[in-house]
Amino acid sequence: MLLSSWEASFVKSFKEIDEELSLDSSIDSFCSGSTAVTMIKQGDHLVIANLGDSRAVLCTRGQKNQPVPIQLTVDLKPNIKSEADRIKKCKGRVFAMDEEPEVFRVWLPDENCPGLAMARAFGDFCLKDYGLISTPEVSYRKLTPDDEFVVLATDGVRVK
């Protein structure tokens, strides 16, 4: 019950954020956007919602009491088969440029732009009709006595 209730709340919240962003004319979000990661801790339960390549990493203690990082999220990039399949089904294209063969990107159907390296994001409305979504992937973890802290991380935040 805990996971499904929180999952529904996260999905609804992420959808509302994307809708509000689309209505804010002071932010140029047509060909730009952001990823996100958020977490709720309830007792010894963690519920994590991830969008794009923001990450949640848990520090736990190993058998020799050393710190061990555990990535709690998956980077939601276009090279993941299920993400690429959704994008292609919506007529978006997924491929890597010759200069960066390891970086798969999302492209418009008939133009080699914008080349977004994410499969999910807030904003980037030029790609929303072509498979880019703002629905987070929601995961769960029960904490143990060895777990110490979680780092929520993102990059590319620019404040004017």
Side-chain angles (χ1 to χ4, degrees):
M1 180 61 181
L2 172 76
L3 180 59
S4 63
S5 174
W6 280 117
E7 182 170 8
S9 295
F10 277 130
V11 169
K12 181 178 184 235
S13 296
F14 278 50
K15 180 180 179 183
E16 288 175 2
I17 290 168
D18 208 41
E19 288 172 356
E20 286 184 30
L21 183 59
S22 75
L23 300 173
D24 189 336
S25 61
S26 70
I27 300 172
D28 180 11
S29 56
F30 186 70
C31 281
S32 66
S34 182
T35 67
V37 64
T38 187
M39 180 182 72
I40 298 289
K41 179 182 181 287
Q42 192 170 22
D44 59 355
H45 304 277
L46 296 181
V47 184
I48 305 110
N50 185 44
L51 188 69
D53 68 346
S54 293
R55 289 187 184 174
V57 180
L58 172 75
C59 179
T60 192
R61 289 284 164 185
Q63 292 178 345
K64 297 179 182 174
N65 202 32
Q66 80 282 15
V68 176
I70 298 174
Q71 190 169 331
L72 299 176
T73 54
V74 172
D75 292 355
L76 299 167
K77 296 187 172 228
N79 62 315
I80 296 173
K81 183 178 179 349
S82 58
E83 299 293 312
D85 289 348
R86 181 190 66 252
I87 292 162
K88 291 172 185 175
K89 183 178 180 184
C90 294
K91 307 292 187 236
R93 296 180 300 145
V94 174
F95 64 89
M97 301 292 285
D98 291 340
E99 315 74 75
E100 297 178 296
E102 69 287 346
V103 181
F104 285 79
R105 298 178 180 275
V106 182
W107 307 89
L108 290 169
D110 300 318
E111 297 179 62
N112 286 348
C113 69
L116 181 65
M118 298 302 118
R120 301 184 190 203
F122 291 126
D124 285 300
F125 294 105
C126 65
L127 290 169
K128 291 294 172 145
D129 290 337
Y130 304 106
L132 183 72
I133 60 174
S134 61
T135 305
E137 183 172 90
V138 179
S139 58
Y140 164 83
R141 178 172 176 103
K142 185 169 179 13
L143 294 172
T144 71
D146 293 329
D147 298 335
E148 294 192 0
F149 60 88
V150 175
V151 175
L152 301 178
T154 190
D155 67 356
V157 175
R158 185 176 79 182
V159 179
K160 289 185 177 184

